[in-house]
């Protein structure tokens, strides 16, 4: 159970009262003002909707704002979170830690180069014998499967002394990433006290990893420690703005969250260390009743695992002090939306989990924040539509000022225009001010060095605010559709993320944004003709929608990103003084590229004697062999025979490739036959 002192518990309680008390108080004051500015002649149901939607949307803004204010003060004073013991940096590592890289149809050379860079960084700390690395593959592409085995075989010899690199591929990716981690725990968890979970694009510096292990050893009741990752390595304008925002505003957000979450923090699914014992005791994830999208395996499993760890009596910490944690962000707005669709479904599943028994109240708050991060978009949209409906209603159904009953005075409707503008300005300030808090800390920390100069940083923030305003209505429409899809029963599935720089072509932009453009144009025309008083107020929203296609295409271009870098815009220090681990990863990737065989995938197994032996050896290690129909096996054998004897192209379906790759006898005979053909 948690062993925080009474003093620390009082500090934690005070912190939470500040954040949530100010959120409730400011929302209450703003709502009281909002009640007075709604036109008095509005229908009662319309008034109720406007007040209800205002409370939900403003409370969301207020929580973000007050959390950022305290995050700002914590960063300025360099305060540490109460209740956590910080060990001496020279304290020894008394146990073995597993570094896990779960992957799903990723570029094997990138994955392995990241792991090699992490291993090299750990070795420079003199701690390589305290870690082992695991590549946990859920890859479904048979050719990528072989590629993974190839690079794993090559990289084993490049690992530091005392550190092992293991590889395992599951035949069936049940429960996806969470199932992958669970499978590791069931098979090898007893061998390790801690596990560090990564994503395919993760990089963690050795000193950060060592510090995380030291913290776990010093705090025996800690279940999870999360190191906030910084986005790096992408070059499009969209990605560069995300990287810059993460560097400038990210510390404010992370510090604000850590301020009130303390030992009940969340887990972000990667770049974190987990106590294996706590995970195995507490984190058996349920399969939700019903069909997807609300039923089935939980997509956003990380929130749930953190909640279960907390329910089990262990602490979970988000530590902004931990630097040297990196990842990559989606290169385009559309790639970002594709990932967001899966996250949306996962967070909507949390509606079911929210009412689970014995959860920590802060865990329920985490679930509510995750749910509201997506519900806020349709709520904002509804708020705008109701307001527009009121304006249009007055145009088509003019108010009656003089009723049939004679009175001394007409029934003039009252509308507080100044009050409405004041609330709008207040909301915008609460959204934008945290960005300038972050900028202040950023400039104070770097003093204009290694960031493209003070002017470049300030100008970058101003441009980012403009682009964020233009992109906000587009993302609002994306997320509103995602929520609608989930409630309509449409499953997102689990797709491989695009991690490469590739500009968005017009055809793709048109397909994804045509409805946004149409809605923007239609709304602009209707507002201009029938509710002109709202025209300028709606323009920031309608402009973003009308120009969604050029915005999406323009921000996806790496050439624009390169121009910005050249002119000191959206520059982060990690680009000017690149961390050694990032440089090492790039070097390893180049060297691994030279190891690629002239054969690819299945053909490599058929023609390369070493790969043939290695692959066959790994078949029983990777788990039970799936069943394939006799028709699939027969068809594959015929095509394979034509490939060997008649040099025809090996044109196999995915199922046929898998059937051959799981059949050791066929692979052995085929390799020998190809050797005989080559000699003759």
């Amino acid at each position: 159970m948690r062993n925080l002192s009474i003093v620390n518990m009082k500090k934690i309680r005070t912190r939470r009262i500040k954040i949530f008390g100010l959120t409730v108080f400011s929302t209450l004051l703003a709502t009281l003002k909002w009640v007075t500015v709604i036109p008095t002649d509005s229908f009662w149901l319309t008034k109720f909707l406007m007040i209800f939607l205002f409370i939900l949307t403003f409370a969301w803004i207020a929580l973000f704002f007050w959390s950022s204010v305290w995050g700002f003060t914590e960063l300025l004073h360099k305060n540490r979170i109460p209740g956590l013991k910080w060990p001496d940096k020279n304290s020894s590592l008394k146990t073995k830690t597993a570094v896990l890289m779960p992957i799903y149809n990723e570029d094997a050379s990138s994955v392995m180069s990241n792991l090699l860079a992490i291993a090299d960084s750990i070795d420079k700390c003199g701690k390589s014998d305290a870690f082992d690395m695991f590549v946990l593959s859920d890859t479904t592409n048979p050719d990528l499967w072989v590629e993974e085995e190839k690079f794993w075989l090559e990289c084993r010899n490049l690992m530091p002394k005392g550190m092992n690199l293991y590889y395992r591929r599951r035949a069936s990716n049940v429960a996806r990433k969470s199932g992958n981690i669970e499978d590791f725990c069931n098979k090898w968890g007893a061998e390790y006290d801690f596990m560090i979970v990564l994503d395919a694009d993760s990089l963690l510096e050795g000193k950060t990893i060592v510090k995380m292990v030291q913290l776990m050893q010093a705090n025996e009741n800690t279940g999870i420690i999360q190191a906030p990752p910084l986005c790096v390595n992408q070059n499009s304008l969209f990605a560069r703005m995300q990287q810059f925002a993460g560097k400038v505003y990210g510390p404010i957000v992370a510090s604000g969250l850590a301020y009130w979450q303390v030992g009940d923090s969340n887990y972000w699914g990667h770049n974190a260390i987990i106590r294996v014992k706590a995970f195995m005791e507490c984190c058996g994830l349920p399969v939700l009743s019903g069909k997807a999208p609300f039923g089935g395996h939980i997509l956003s499993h990380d929130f749930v695992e953190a909640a279960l760890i907390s329910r089990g009596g262990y602490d979970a910490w988000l530590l902004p002090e931990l630097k040297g944690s990196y990842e990559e962000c989606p290169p385009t707005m559309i790639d970002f939306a594709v990932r967001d669709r899966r996250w949306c479904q996962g967070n909507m599943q949390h509606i079911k989990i929210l009412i689970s028994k014995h959860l920590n109240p802060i865990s329920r708050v985490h679930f509510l924040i995750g749910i509201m991060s997506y519900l806020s978009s349709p709520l904002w949209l509804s708020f705008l539509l109701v307001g527009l409906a009121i304006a249009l209603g007055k145009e088509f159904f003019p108010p009656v000022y003089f009723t049939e009953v004679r009175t001394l005075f007409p029934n003039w409707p009252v509308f507080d225009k100044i009050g409405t503008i004041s609330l709008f300005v207040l909301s915008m300030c609460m959204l934008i001010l945290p960005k300038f808090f972050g900028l202040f800390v950023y400039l104070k920390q770097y003093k204009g060095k290694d960031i493209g100069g003070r002017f470049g940083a300030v100008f970058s923030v101003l441009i980012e605010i403009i682009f964020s305003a233009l992109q906000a209505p587009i993302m609002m429409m994306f997320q509103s559709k995602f929520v609608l899809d989930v409630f309509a029963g449409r499953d997102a599935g689990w797709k491989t993320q695009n991690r490469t720089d590739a500009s968005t072509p017009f055809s793709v932009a048109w397909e994804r944004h045509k409805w946004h453009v149409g809605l923007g144009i239609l709304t602009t025309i209707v507002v201009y003709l029938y509710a002109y008083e709202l025209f300028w107020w709606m323009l920031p929203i309608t402009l973003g929608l009308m120009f969604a296609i050029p915005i999406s295409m323009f921000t996806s271009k790496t050439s624009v990103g390169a121009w910005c870098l050249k002119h000191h815009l959206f520059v982060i220090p990690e680009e000017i003084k690149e961390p050694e681990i990032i440089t090492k990863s790039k070097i390893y990737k180049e060297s691994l590229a030279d190891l690629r065989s002239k054969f690819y995938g299945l053909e490599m197994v058929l023609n390369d004697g070493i790969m043939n032996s290695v692959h066959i050896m790994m078949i029983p290690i990777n788990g039970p062999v799936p069943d394939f129909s006799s028709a699939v096996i027969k068809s594959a054998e015929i095509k394979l025979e034509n490939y060997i004897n008649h040099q025809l192209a090996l044109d196999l379906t995915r199922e046929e490739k898998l059937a051959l790759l799981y059949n050791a006898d066929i692979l052995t005979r085929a390799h020998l036959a190809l050797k005989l053909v080559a000699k003759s």
Side-chain angles (χ1 to χ4, degrees), residues 267-519:
Y267 164 46
W268 299 349
H270 59 280
N271 292 33
I273 187 169
I274 300 174
R275 191 176 299 274
V276 175
K277 177 177 179 288
F279 191 86
M280 294 181 71
E281 283 179 359
C282 306
C283 294
L285 294 181
V287 178
L288 300 178
S289 60
K291 296 181 179 179
F294 281 105
H297 294 286
I298 299 169
L299 296 187
S300 293
H301 55 90
D302 39 13
F303 278 42
V304 182
E305 288 159 350
L308 294 175
I309 285 279
S310 183
R311 187 173 73 172
Y314 292 93
D315 298 328
W317 302 89
L318 168 64
L319 298 182
E321 297 92 339
L322 293 175
K323 309 300 181 183
S325 172
Y326 307 104
E327 64 176 347
E328 294 177 357
C329 62
T332 71
M333 191 190 306
I334 290 175
D335 290 319
F336 186 90
V338 169
R339 186 185 68 177
D340 224 30
R341 172 63 179 89
R342 187 180 76 239
W343 286 2
C344 174
Q345 182 169 321
N347 279 275
M348 291 303 104
Q349 286 180 315
H350 294 166
I351 294 173
K352 282 188 172 184
I353 301 168
L354 188 61
I355 58 175
S356 298
K357 295 180 181 179
H358 310 303
L359 288 181
N360 186 319
I362 297 300
S363 296
R364 297 188 198 275
V365 172
H366 292 322
F367 288 134
L368 280 172
I369 289 175
I371 293 165
M372 278 300 299
S373 66
Y374 291 95
L375 284 183
S376 60
S377 286
L379 287 172
W380 269 109
L381 180 60
S382 300
F383 186 75
L384 293 170
L385 291 175
V386 172
L388 183 58
I390 292 174
L392 293 175
K394 290 181 179 179
E395 177 68 26
F396 292 103
F397 304 100
V400 177
Y401 302 128
F402 298 93
T403 62
E404 294 180 1
V405 179
R406 294 180 179 275
T407 60
L408 290 175
F409 302 101
N411 183 26
W412 297 116
V414 178
F415 174 64
D416 185 355
K417 185 176 181 180
I418 300 300
T420 304
I421 294 173
S422 299
L423 285 173
F424 174 78
V425 171
L426 175 64
S427 299
M428 291 301 102
C429 287
M430 293 176 78
L431 285 170
I432 293 173
L433 270 177
K435 295 178 185 265
F436 288 99
F437 293 159
L439 177 63
F440 181 85
V441 174
Y442 187 61
L443 294 176
K444 186 174 183 293
Q445 179 181 358
Y446 290 99
K447 297 179 173 58
K449 297 178 181 179
D450 300 331
I451 59 174
R454 288 188 175 91
F455 177 79
V458 173
F459 199 47
S460 296
V461 167
L462 297 176
I463 297 174
E464 192 276 334
I465 289 172
I466 294 171
F467 269 96
S468 292
L470 291 171
Q471 292 171 347
I474 303 171
M475 293 310 302
M476 177 183 70
M477 295 307 300
F478 266 133
Q479 291 181 345
S480 297
K481 183 180 182 301
F482 297 160
V483 172
L484 181 63
D485 284 344
V486 172
F487 280 93
R490 289 188 277 272
D491 182 20
W494 190 281
K495 300 179 178 66
T496 305
Q497 293 185 43
N498 175 37
R499 305 186 192 276
T500 58
D501 288 319
S503 298
T504 302
F506 176 78
S507 58
V508 175
W510 170 255
E511 181 62 30
R512 298 305 299 269
H513 296 296
K514 58 186 176 184
W515 301 111
H516 303 155
V517 174
L519 180 63

Side-chain angles (χ1 to χ4, degrees), residues 575-588:
E575 292 175 301
I576 296 177
K577 287 186 177 179
E578 189 172 73
E580 184 180 4
I581 192 170
I582 296 177
T583 304
K584 275 285 187 179
S585 176
K586 292 176 180 178
I587 293 171
Y588 277 124

Side-chain angles (χ1 to χ4, degrees), residues 94-107:
K94 304 170 185 176
T95 185
K96 197 90 165 175
T97 299
V99 179
L100 311 184
M101 179 74 86
I103 58 175
Y104 176 73
N105 294 327
E106 302 285 350
D107 175 45

Side-chain angles (χ1 to χ4, degrees), residues 223-270:
I224 297 175
I225 294 175
Q226 175 71 62
L230 172 70
C231 289
V232 294
N233 278 346
Q234 295 287 24
N235 303 298
S236 69
L237 175 60
F238 179 84
R240 291 189 60 76
M241 286 192 292
Q242 295 291 315
Q243 290 172 178
F244 179 79
K247 183 67 178 181
V248 178
Y249 320 143
I252 294 288
V253 175
S255 184
L257 291 173
Y259 176 80
W260 60 266
Q261 292 176 0
V262 196
D264 298 314
S265 292
N266 216 339
Y267 164 46
W268 299 349
H270 59 280

Side-chain angles (χ1 to χ4, degrees), residues 115-297:
L115 280 178
L116 288 173
I118 294 171
D120 182 77
S121 185
I122 293 172
D123 189 46
K124 282 183 168 57
C125 298
K127 305 292 185 181
S128 58
D129 59 344
F131 297 89
D132 283 333
M133 292 191 163
F134 288 78
V135 178
L136 306 176
S137 175
D138 263 353
T139 292
T140 56
N141 183 319
D143 292 322
L144 288 179
W145 171 17
V146 176
E147 193 85 344
E148 289 168 3
E149 291 180 333
K150 165 72 174 176
F151 283 115
W152 164 71
L153 186 64
E154 299 288 353
C155 291
R156 286 174 70 251
N157 300 323
L158 300 175
M159 295 295 289
K161 185 178 180 181
M163 188 185 299
N164 298 306
L165 175 62
Y166 299 105
Y167 171 84
R168 184 274 286 131
R169 175 188 172 273
R170 291 197 299 168
S172 175
N173 59 338
V174 176
R176 304 175 179 91
K177 184 176 179 179
S178 62
N180 205 349
I181 301 298
E182 182 182 354
D183 182 76
F184 165 81
C185 289
N186 290 335
K187 292 178 178 176
W188 300 286
E191 299 293 324
Y192 302 92
D193 283 349
F194 313 121
M195 59 182 180
I196 293 174
V197 180
L198 306 173
D199 259 357
D201 57 1
S202 293
L203 280 171
L204 262 176
E205 289 183 355
K207 60 184 179 182
T208 305
I209 289 175
V210 170
K211 176 59 69 178
M212 291 165 83
V213 175
Q214 290 171 336
L215 282 164
M216 292 295 274
Q217 290 181 166
N219 297 271
E220 295 181 358
N221 204 59
T222 291
I224 297 175
I225 294 175
Q226 175 71 62
L230 172 70
C231 289
V232 294
N233 278 346
Q234 295 287 24
N235 303 298
S236 69
L237 175 60
F238 179 84
R240 291 189 60 76
M241 286 192 292
Q242 295 291 315
Q243 290 172 178
F244 179 79
K247 183 67 178 181
V248 178
Y249 320 143
I252 294 288
V253 175
S255 184
L257 291 173
Y259 176 80
W260 60 266
Q261 292 176 0
V262 196
D264 298 314
S265 292
N266 216 339
Y267 164 46
W268 299 349
H270 59 280
N271 292 33
I273 187 169
I274 300 174
R275 191 176 299 274
V276 175
K277 177 177 179 288
F279 191 86
M280 294 181 71
E281 283 179 359
C282 306
C283 294
L285 294 181
V287 178
L288 300 178
S289 60
K291 296 181 179 179
F294 281 105
H297 294 286

